[in-house]
Amino acid sequence: MSFVSLNIESPTDAPVKLTRRALAKQRTRERVLSAARRLFTERGYEGATIRDIAQAAGMSTGAVFASFSDKSELFDEILTADYEVIYAQMKQAGVNAATVEEGVIGMFAVAYGFHVEQLPLLQASIAVSWTRSETAERRNRGHLKHIFALLNGVLTRGVERGELKTDADVKLLAEIIWDVYVANYRRAIFDAWSVEALLSRLSDQLKVILAGARA
Amino acid sequence: MSFVSLNIESPTDAPVKLTRRALAKQRTRERVLSAARRLFTERGYEGATIRDIAQAAGMSTGAVFASFSDKSELFDEILTADYEVIYAQMKQAGVNAATVEEGVIGMFAVAYGFHVEQLPLLQASIAVSWTRSETAERRNRGHLKHIFALLNGVLTRGVERGELKTDADVKLLAEIIWDVYVANYRRAIFDAWSVEALLSRLSDQLKVILAGARA
């Protein structure tokens, strides 16, 4: 009914027009993101310009800027989408684990498995993370909070079930584990290590890091 | 005797000429390195081109390429010179220490003190380290070998004096310590941490990392 009345009282296709516009905008964003992902992967962050990305997406640079304020926002959007893809799986691995080691290894097995398949993008994202603006750093730490919450959860459950000491510094342990987890990607990049090799190393590192915290 | 005969049989000023040429070449290298250090610091690695560097050094790009095969060699040369500046001090701090913690903290106090004074160059060097060629990575690992030897020395002396267990995995411990040492620079870059704050954090991290290795 309302559809019919609208059809009578306003320009006949107004609601349809709005939806079409929103859809078109969404499609533009997706085309830009897809072209950007490919070019960042092929050329790295510095090597891919907005002009290149626009051209690869078959649109003007103005059309790209209508969706994204700058290259850094475009890049972060790709990484955020990737976080969302792996977050649920990482959570499941962490929550279902019977031991701290099983939880940490399970979580990072998901992350290594995902990123090793797209190393050039990962390399660009780590490289950028060292030279970005403070604003971009804050935004990224916001994203990482969710991952750190999972890691803290795995460690806290270890304390609760008596696997780790009650006075274990969960936050510090999580940060050390994160630092070695990230550093291990160098082995994948420059030494062609497999996910299994990375996890075996992480397991050795975890034994060292957790040794003093075990109850 | 041979010197005299050379002086007679060849153009009298040949050896002097060679020395002058070598000196001029050395001066050119130094001018290029000095301009490059300034521009990499101001603009980052990607932001400074060989053309910019040549211009800042007051010479042609051809003259720059006569001394350095490419930008990456030029950049590595600056970092190598920096390693050499701090290596002796790091060694002294490591060798003279009474405990493992004192040795590690002493070594990295030198490194933090040095790099915190030139963070933009450090940021560029870490960023580049994630996207460089395998050849550049091998070359850099060669340079790091000396630093790792110092760190391994500090830990090995800890084992020898009975501070650490005889079966402590010195190599793995050194690598974990290195990973957190590097990761801590994020705090200096994005949170303006002082050298003292970085060392206090490293000290907390060391307690965790060494806990399981203590005799």
Side-chain angles (χ1 to χ4, degrees), chain A residues 129 138 141 186 190-191, chain B residues 129 138 141 186 190-191:
Chain A
S129 82
R138 302 284 155 225
R141 287 189 192 178
R186 300 194 78 82
F190 297 111
D191 306 275
Chain B
S129 82
R138 301 286 153 220
R141 288 189 190 176
R186 301 194 77 83
F190 297 110
D191 306 274

Side-chain angles (χ1 to χ4, degrees), chain B residues 34-81:
Chain B
S34 158
R37 176 184 290 271
R38 185 158 52 76
L39 289 188
F40 286 138
T41 300
E42 285 171 13
R43 306 181 191 177
Y45 180 75
E46 300 289 344
T49 65
I50 287 280
R51 183 195 290 241
D52 298 333
I53 293 166
Q55 198 174 11
M59 55 184 73
S60 68
T61 55
V64 172
F65 283 122
S67 294
F68 301 95
S69 63
D70 58 20
K71 192 164 83 165
S72 116
E73 191 193 323
L74 186 46
F75 191 60
D76 283 347
E77 196 76 18
I78 292 171
L79 304 181
T80 305

Side-chain angles (χ1 to χ4, degrees), chain A residues 26-207:
Chain A
Q26 180 61 21
R27 256 187 245 118
T28 300
R29 278 181 69 87
E30 281 165 9
R31 260 167 67 199
V32 174
L33 284 170
S34 157
R37 177 185 289 272
R38 185 159 53 78
L39 289 188
F40 286 139
T41 300
E42 285 171 14
R43 306 181 190 175
Y45 180 75
E46 299 290 345
T49 65
I50 288 279
R51 184 195 288 242
D52 299 333
I53 292 166
Q55 197 173 11
M59 55 184 72
S60 68
T61 57
V64 173
F65 283 122
S67 295
F68 301 94
S69 65
D70 58 17
K71 191 164 83 167
S72 116
E73 191 195 323
L74 187 45
F75 190 61
D76 283 348
E77 197 74 18
I78 293 171
L79 303 181
T80 305
D82 285 352
Y83 273 128
E84 281 164 13
V85 167
I86 61 174
Y87 176 78
Q89 289 181 66
M90 287 181 80
K91 184 173 178 177
Q92 203 177 356
V95 168
N96 293 338
T99 65
V100 170
E101 179 160 358
E102 192 188 316
V104 174
I105 295 291
M107 277 182 60
F108 289 122
V110 174
Y112 281 141
F114 182 82
H115 290 303
V116 161
E117 291 300 311
Q118 44 177 6
L119 279 179
L121 198 66
L122 176 92
Q123 287 174 259
S125 79
I126 300 182
V128 165
S129 82
W130 283 94
T131 52
R132 63 184 160 212
S133 69
E134 279 197 34
T135 313
E137 171 72 6
R138 302 284 155 225
R139 192 169 50 201
N140 191 261
R141 287 189 192 178
H143 294 151
L144 283 183
K145 257 187 194 160
H146 306 295
I147 306 283
F148 271 104
L150 296 183
L151 195 48
N152 285 341
V154 168
L155 293 163
T156 302
R157 281 190 294 281
V159 173
E160 284 163 2
R161 76 167 79 89
E163 191 186 340
L164 300 184
K165 289 180 189 161
T166 52
D167 66 348
D169 188 338
V170 165
K171 188 165 174 280
L172 182 60
L173 289 171
E175 288 169 350
I176 295 174
I177 292 167
W178 179 264
D179 289 347
V180 301
Y181 152 71
V182 173
N184 288 346
Y185 279 113
R186 300 194 78 82
R187 313 280 175 153
I189 297 163
F190 297 111
D191 306 275
W193 277 24
S194 65
V195 172
E196 290 67 34
L198 293 171
L199 291 174
S200 160
R201 180 173 170 80
L202 184 60
S203 169
D204 291 343
Q205 291 163 324
L206 266 184
K207 284 188 184 76

